[in-house]
Amino acid sequence: MRIGEICTVPSIYCKADETVQAAALLMRKHHVGDLVVIEQAESERIPVGIITERDIVVSVIALGLDPSSLLVGDIMSADLLTAPEDDDVYETIERMRSRGIRRVPVVNNAGGLAGIVSVDDLLEFLAEEMGELSRISSHQQSHEKRARQ
């Protein structure tokens, strides 16, 4: 399965020149724990970073800094892993695992933001897959019962 089929669309985003306070308010408004930081390039929103609620707590609140005076670009994670929407789910999982990343922006062929996939999205997908596998035995048993009657 392609990662673009299970990612969350639309993803909530902001620009690097937004204040951290504005980003926190955007997270609150949309009930999300992260924002993809984008640059506008022609008609595409190109992901350049990500900011999470944890970034705000650890880099701003815990240090007693003023979130209205800091910009998202000052604290965002800029070493960004993205996943092309045509990528295989298991390839994306492996890249996330190897880098210890919980959220990955999904991009279209032009590099624009198409969605975001999180560990929670992947766990839900894998749970459904495991459920399908568990039904194999019961299907096989009922097939054998019918065949032997």
Side-chain angles (χ1 to χ4, degrees):
M1 178 175 281
R2 298 174 332 115
I3 199 70
E5 294 176 46
I6 66 167
C7 70
T8 301
V9 177
S11 58
I12 310 303
Y13 59 87
C14 69
K15 293 188 175 181
D17 61 359
E18 295 275 342
T19 66
V20 171
Q21 182 175 16
L25 288 170
L26 195 56
M27 287 180 193
R28 181 174 189 233
K29 176 182 177 184
H30 293 281
H31 307 284
V32 296
D34 61 85
L35 300 172
V36 178
V37 183
I38 57 112
E39 284 180 354
Q40 193 74 33
E42 297 178 23
S43 64
E44 296 292 340
R45 295 179 184 107
I46 308 297
V48 295
I50 195 164
I51 183 171
T52 67
E53 54 198 3
R54 185 176 190 286
D55 294 329
I56 295 171
V57 169
V58 170
S59 299
V60 180
I61 305 302
L63 300 177
L65 301 176
D66 179 9
S68 65
S69 67
L70 290 170
L71 299 179
V72 167
D74 296 330
I75 67 166
M76 72 179 189
S77 300
D79 183 21
L80 189 64
L81 173 66
T82 61
E85 59 189 348
D86 291 331
D87 259 14
D88 178 71
V89 170
Y90 297 103
E91 290 173 17
T92 302
I93 290 171
E94 178 55 28
R95 290 199 329 253
M96 290 172 73
R97 186 204 57 76
S98 70
R99 296 217 8 219
I101 294 175
R102 299 180 54 82
R103 300 170 179 98
V104 175
V106 177
V107 295
N108 60 27
N109 290 336
L113 183 61
I116 190 164
V117 67
S118 70
V119 168
D120 290 343
D121 298 324
L122 295 167
L123 287 172
E124 185 177 320
F125 165 75
L126 292 170
E128 288 174 16
E129 292 290 303
M130 296 302 286
E132 292 299 318
L133 281 173
S134 71
R135 287 188 263 294
I136 291 173
S137 293
S138 62
H139 178 70
Q140 181 184 18
Q141 289 171 353
S142 61
H143 177 71
E144 284 180 19
K145 284 179 185 177
R146 283 191 308 268
R148 293 185 180 161
Q149 288 180 355

